[in-house]
């Protein structure tokens, strides 16, 4: 329906994290390898809840705390961050919960600024980004997560939106 060239599925036991099955398809046929382990991609908005968890765990935000939506545009260090329009009127302020609900780039960029670069990096690393899973598969990719010393001024916001990193399913 979305004209994807392929995809991967990973099935885990939610109690133990044990890998139960994985499969991949490319261009309408079964993938020739375990692409769910070998082909990293930018995870995008799936990272926003991890950043929210870091903020909540450190007491830097409460779920009802709000930030301005700025009309869906926020310029930070010379880069303009955009929100995708959603159905209905855009609230002037978004709570952390609504930032996740609406997948607001503007909101998560502002909230992420409450973390130090080290805190954000350690959170993402501790969630397993940038490291291999340990599954015994010779060509497994660990993805990429650069240390803060290699970040630009925009990296903290980019990482909070799931960019400037790569992960496998």
């Amino acid at each position: 329906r979305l004209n994807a060239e392929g995809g991967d599925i990973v099935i885990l036991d939610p109690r133990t994290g044990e890998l139960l099955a994985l499969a991949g398809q490319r261009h309408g046929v079964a993938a020739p390898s375990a692409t769910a382990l070998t082909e990293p991609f930018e995870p995008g908005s799936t990272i926003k809840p991890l950043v929210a968890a870091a903020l909540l765990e450190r007491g830097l935000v409460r779920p009802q705390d709000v930030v301005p939506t700025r009309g869906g545009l926020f310029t930070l260090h010379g880069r303009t961050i955009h929100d995708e329009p959603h159905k209905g009127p855009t609230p002037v302020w978004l709570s952390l919960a609504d930032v996740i609900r609406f997948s607001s780039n503007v909101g998560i960029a502002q909230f992420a600024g409450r973390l130090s670069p080290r805190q954000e990096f350690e959170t993402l690393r501790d969630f397993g980004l940038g490291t291999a899973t340990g599954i015994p598969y010779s060509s497994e990719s660990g993805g990429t997560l650069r240390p803060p010393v290699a970040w630009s001024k925009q990296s903290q916001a980019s990482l909070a939106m799931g960019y400037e990193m790569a992960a496998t399913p």
Side-chain angles (χ1 to χ4, degrees), residues 14-154:
R15 293 175 302 275
T16 65
E18 177 187 9
L19 176 65
L20 301 176
L22 59 86
Q25 184 175 336
R26 298 293 181 272
H27 306 287
V29 297
S33 65
T35 53
L37 299 173
T38 62
E39 292 185 9
F41 63 96
E42 280 186 325
S45 292
T46 62
I47 297 302
K48 290 174 183 158
L50 307 184
V51 173
L55 290 158
L56 291 165
E57 179 181 323
R58 289 174 172 83
L60 298 173
V61 69
R62 297 169 300 157
Q64 67 272 22
D65 287 352
V66 295
V67 292
T69 61
R70 304 175 187 267
L73 299 172
F74 177 50
T75 301
L76 181 65
H77 302 295
R79 173 183 174 206
T80 301
I81 296 167
H82 302 265
D83 274 345
E84 292 295 320
H86 62 276
K87 294 179 180 165
T90 301
V92 176
W93 295 84
L94 286 177
S95 66
L96 179 64
D98 283 338
V99 164
I100 301 304
R101 188 175 91 183
F102 293 117
S103 192
S104 171
N105 293 332
V106 168
I108 202 66
Q110 291 176 84
F111 278 124
R114 297 181 185 187
L115 294 165
S116 71
R118 179 179 175 163
Q119 289 172 324
E120 186 171 356
F121 171 80
E122 288 176 350
T123 295
L124 297 172
R125 180 204 61 205
D126 291 353
F127 271 111
L129 293 151
T131 59
T133 64
I135 292 173
Y137 193 78
S138 62
S139 58
E140 179 189 7
S141 172
T144 56
L145 178 64
R146 294 176 298 117
V149 70
W151 292 4
S152 72
K153 288 181 180 181
Q154 292 96 4

